[in-house]
Amino acid sequence: MKSVSLIAGFFAVIAAPALADQPLWGTFNGDLAATKFSEAASLTPQSVLGLERAWEVRTGDVSDGSGDVPATVWSATPIYANESLYLGTPFYRILALDPATGAERWSYDTKSTLEALTQPALKNRGVSYWKSGLDGVCEKRVLIGTMDATLHAVDADTGKPCEEFGDNGVLNVNQWNKTNAVFPFSLLQPPTVVGDTILMGWSGKDWAYTVEPPGNLIAVDARTGALKWDTGFIPKELIPVTGTANIWSSMSVDADLGLVYVPVSSPSPNYWGGNRTAAIPLATSITAINIETGEVAWSFQHVHHDVWDYDTPSAPTLVDLMRDGQKVPALVQTTKQGFIFVLDRRTGAPLFPVEERAVPASDAEGEQLSPTQPFADVPTPTINHAALPEVWPVADALSFGQCSKDRETYRYEGLYTPPSVQGTFLWPATAGGNNWGGATVNPRTGILYVNTSQVVQVIRLIPRADYAAEVKAATADGSDPSGNEAGFYAQEGSPYGIELFEWRTALGLPCWKPPYGTFSAYDLNTGERVYEKPFGLSQQWGFYGLRSWGSPTLGGPVLTSGGVILIGASMDNRVRALDAATGQEIWSDLVAAPAVSIPAVFTHQGADYVVWAVGGNSILKPKVADQVVAYRLPPKE
């Protein structure tokens, strides 16, 4: 084993006022540091019991996929700015609402095509907000992207297009999609706005092709949409044979350092890499980029030669640490693998030990895996990599031993066991572990909080000669061959298609022992886990599991300075408040579908509000909604 870093010592976390640049809930993660930390001190474990439902709105922009419109997946964070609440919908409309009542102030329709061009569903994670500091028309703007690669800018007061931006308020981002352009640059994640610069990554069509557009970060002028710079992550010599390594998730920013921190995804195709055996150092990494020039300042690759689709899923969380009496600007990156990497955000150097450890070899045609991968034991990973979870006796009995047979059939030799024709257990699943919801941190105490899915999948490589016949046989009943994070995918141009599925019985019971989801707190001073508890309730056939089982989750938590965690994320259609000190649930309410989003927490006219977009996601269960629900803690008399 090779030690990458042996930096040790005692860390103490201090408040980071330089990072608190968003006094309102003005970004996807609350602030540009992605702390998801709210100064709503009145939201305490005692007072949160008094949260009342203030209002709810149904947008009408929803589909279960049974008609002509594809299903919707809605995980937008509401933006509170300009004394208004702004939301993007999965039909690519912007809504401006009165924060106190939910009354619509204006709406804007992009008139985007409602086709699932790159995704299995219509998706939207919200809008972005920009202001110039001047008075006048379009000096405050709301931005929304679409699946067909247009970025729209409208006046924040009226919803009217900003004519000087792009072409009468519409920027064609696909004009920069000139290489391996087999799909459009879908803009599903709201862009990151820093000063007068708009930073955009994009989403593509996963698992479909070997050669795809090379991932890039695009910077444009916030006023005009003019291109400032365009930075890619695939070496030029490899662009003819691969692609992606794109940025589909949110980003974080340190304005003082002039750096944006981007979570870079894996190259194509996702589950075989014989076409890209040469190093792609920026793929599946946390990479720091100079905001003014687009130059790469540093990069930390946390998966070498990724064939597990273990994309970097979320914006790194920025927090300042003290070491040996000196302040260390740090970032914390949660990953699909369950590792929590703590780095110096000036240089990318690990602040806790990271080791390169030997991992299993591949027997797939043409594959040349990295012999080692980075492991971080501190902080304690959110996934126990010591072994695959044990077979759940209940599921095994009800399946007449199917789970036990599967355990002997499929390959598993620890984390980073490669995909195989035999079939390989993915533990954690390709969706994580930890996904785009990321973590929240208290910048004053250094306690980090994160929800984790504890899910096992099976990935099977299908030789090209057999792929079409297998898909035909599997869909003889008229079923769709592929779904959301599951099913058959071609990986055209490679020797293998794939089949991906959760390790379940024929009746749908998980074959592995619960818990299926957890919520954890970590002390960044020491790297130790403060607690880990089952979180949420699983659901099957309309019945709920036990609290000790927990639930897979999508979405992220918010922490208040009063010590409350606010989170949806679970299968069971509930939004919750947890005591941050213990992880215990202290309040919940039933909503229309899983709230697979990050809530906005803000103070408006003296009252504290928590607002969720409730949209659902078929990764959890086939339940969708179009609900915006607001809770209010009335001000004290």
Side-chain angles (χ1 to χ4, degrees):
M1 294 182 293
K2 179 182 177 182
S3 175
V4 174
S5 173
L6 294 176
I7 299 175
F10 180 80
F11 291 90
V13 180
I14 63 170
L19 300 178
D21 61 339
Q22 297 281 357
L24 308 176
W25 202 266
T27 77
F28 179 77
N29 293 299
D31 57 24
L32 288 177
T35 62
K36 305 183 190 72
F37 180 77
S38 168
E39 291 289 0
S42 64
L43 284 166
T44 68
Q46 295 74 37
S47 70
V48 79
L49 296 174
L51 269 182
E52 60 185 24
R53 187 178 288 205
W55 52 264
E56 72 169 81
V57 167
R58 296 294 184 132
T59 70
D61 292 3
V62 64
S63 171
D64 63 5
S66 61
D68 295 334
V69 178
T72 51
V73 168
W74 193 32
S75 44
T77 298
I79 296 298
Y80 175 68
N82 193 34
E83 293 291 304
S84 294
L85 200 65
Y86 300 106
L87 279 151
T89 79
F91 285 6
Y92 308 109
R93 293 195 305 134
I94 303 174
L95 302 179
L97 307 178
D98 183 325
T101 66
E104 184 176 303
R105 290 177 169 168
W106 55 259
S107 66
Y108 171 80
D109 190 349
T110 65
K111 296 182 171 58
S112 174
T113 178
L114 299 184
E115 296 180 33
L117 299 175
T118 64
Q119 304 289 300
L122 300 176
K123 292 185 179 180
N124 173 267
R125 292 205 179 107
V127 298
S128 300
Y129 181 78
W130 173 81
K131 64 178 181 178
S132 69
L134 302 176
D135 295 327
V137 175
C138 280
E139 298 300 332
K140 300 174 184 176
R141 300 180 182 182
V142 182
L143 306 161
I144 188 170
T146 66
M147 189 171 286
D148 56 1
T150 57
L151 182 68
H152 297 243
V154 301
D155 184 274
D157 291 324
T158 66
K160 302 297 183 183
C162 296
E163 294 181 357
E164 67 179 322
F165 185 82
D167 182 7
N168 292 316
V170 181
L171 180 65
N172 173 21
V173 178
N174 224 39
Q175 66 183 288
W176 298 300
N177 183 7
K178 298 177 180 178
T179 306
N180 306 339
V182 292
F183 49 66
F185 283 176
S186 292
L187 306 177
L188 309 179
Q189 176 70 40
T192 298
V193 179
V194 187
D196 291 334
T197 300
I198 297 172
L199 300 165
M200 291 178 287
W202 48 265
S203 296
K205 193 169 187 177
D206 286 345
W207 314 342
Y209 308 105
T210 293
V211 181
E212 298 182 340
N216 58 340
L217 180 64
I218 300 167
V220 301
D221 183 273
R223 188 172 290 281
T224 67
L227 181 67
K228 289 189 170 184
W229 49 260
D230 179 346
T231 295
F233 303 97
I234 300 284
K236 290 182 179 180
E237 63 272 17
L238 293 181
I239 286 176
V241 298
T242 184
T244 62
N246 57 315
I247 302 158
W248 56 262
S249 189
S250 59
M251 310 170 227
S252 51
V253 171
D254 186 325
D256 290 340
L257 293 177
L259 298 176
V260 57
Y261 303 97
V262 298
V264 185
S265 71
S266 59
S268 61
N270 294 93
Y271 296 107
W272 178 80
N275 62 313
R276 48 180 172 88
T277 54
I280 306 178
L282 300 182
T284 317
S285 72
I286 308 110
T287 296
I289 294 177
N290 185 290
I291 296 168
E292 288 299 316
T293 66
E295 295 177 347
V296 173
W298 58 260
S299 185
F300 176 87
Q301 186 174 63
H302 62 93
V303 183
H304 309 318
H305 190 77
D306 188 353
V307 294
W308 301 271
D309 196 27
Y310 281 158
D311 297 341
T312 318
S314 60
T317 300
L318 308 188
V319 63
D320 289 348
L321 309 176
M322 290 296 294
R323 181 177 182 269
D324 298 331
Q326 299 295 316
K327 183 169 72 172
V328 178
L331 66 78
V332 185
Q333 181 69 65
T334 56
T335 65
K336 288 185 177 181
Q337 310 94 283
F339 291 124
I340 301 174
F341 292 102
V342 184
L343 311 178
D344 185 323
R345 66 177 183 268
R346 297 168 298 187
T347 64
L351 295 177
F352 288 108
V354 175
E355 291 184 335
E356 291 283 339
R357 296 179 186 169
V359 293
S362 175
D363 57 7
E365 176 186 338
E367 188 62 88
Q368 296 180 34
L369 294 183
S370 171
T372 64
Q373 293 289 353
F375 282 73
D377 294 332
V378 182
T380 308
T382 65
I383 294 288
N384 181 4
H385 300 124
L388 193 71
E390 295 179 14
V391 169
W392 188 28
V394 173
D396 204 34
L398 292 175
S399 66
F400 302 100
Q402 173 207 321
C403 298
S404 291
K405 293 174 185 175
D406 289 347
R407 185 64 184 85
E408 299 302 316
T409 298
Y410 300 124
R411 182 180 177 186
Y412 188 74
E413 299 162 38
L415 182 64
Y416 300 118
T417 303
S420 62
V421 173
Q422 170 187 345
T424 293
F425 285 113
L426 274 175
W427 168 241
T430 191
N434 307 113
N435 208 299
W436 57 263
T440 180
V441 70
N442 187 327
R444 302 183 183 109
T445 66
I447 306 298
L448 186 86
Y449 305 86
V450 65
N451 52 296
T452 304
S453 294
Q454 308 278 349
V455 174
V456 182
Q457 281 180 307
V458 176
I459 175 74
R460 189 168 65 91
L461 298 179
I462 304 172
R464 181 62 55 207
D466 302 330
Y467 181 75
E470 286 214 22
V471 172
K472 183 177 180 180
T475 57
D477 59 356
S479 60
D480 193 328
S482 59
N484 199 356
E485 300 283 335
F488 291 87
Y489 287 87
Q491 296 195 144
E492 290 180 10
S494 79
Y496 302 100
I498 64 160
E499 183 188 15
L500 181 68
F501 55 92
E502 283 192 7
W503 183 29
R504 292 176 176 264
T505 70
L507 294 175
L509 287 176
C511 275
W512 67 99
K513 274 188 175 181
Y516 308 123
T518 53
F519 190 85
S520 303
Y522 290 86
D523 186 347
L524 293 181
N525 301 307
T526 63
E528 294 179 354
R529 187 160 52 202
V530 178
Y531 59 75
E532 179 186 52
K533 295 181 179 295
F535 172 75
L537 293 177
S538 295
Q539 191 175 6
Q540 182 76 323
W541 313 308
F543 298 98
Y544 294 103
L546 301 177
R547 286 187 177 273
S548 61
W549 296 357
S551 166
T553 55
L554 284 174
V558 168
L559 172 67
T560 75
S561 60
V564 171
I565 298 289
L566 295 155
I567 183 171
S570 175
M571 290 179 71
D572 62 339
N573 299 11
R574 284 194 172 272
V575 294
R576 291 177 164 85
L578 313 179
D579 185 335
T582 64
Q584 293 296 325
E585 180 181 319
I586 49 180
W587 171 90
S588 73
D589 192 35
L590 188 67
V591 292
V596 290
S597 58
I598 298 166
V601 183
F602 57 89
T603 303
H604 178 72
Q605 296 178 346
D608 286 333
Y609 286 82
V610 185
V611 184
W612 274 275
V614 178
N617 189 310
S618 55
I619 292 176
L620 294 183
K621 69 179 184 182
K623 178 66 176 177
V624 294
D626 61 343
Q627 183 185 41
V628 188
V629 59
Y631 299 88
R632 177 172 53 219
L633 191 65
K636 294 181 179 180
E637 297 295 336

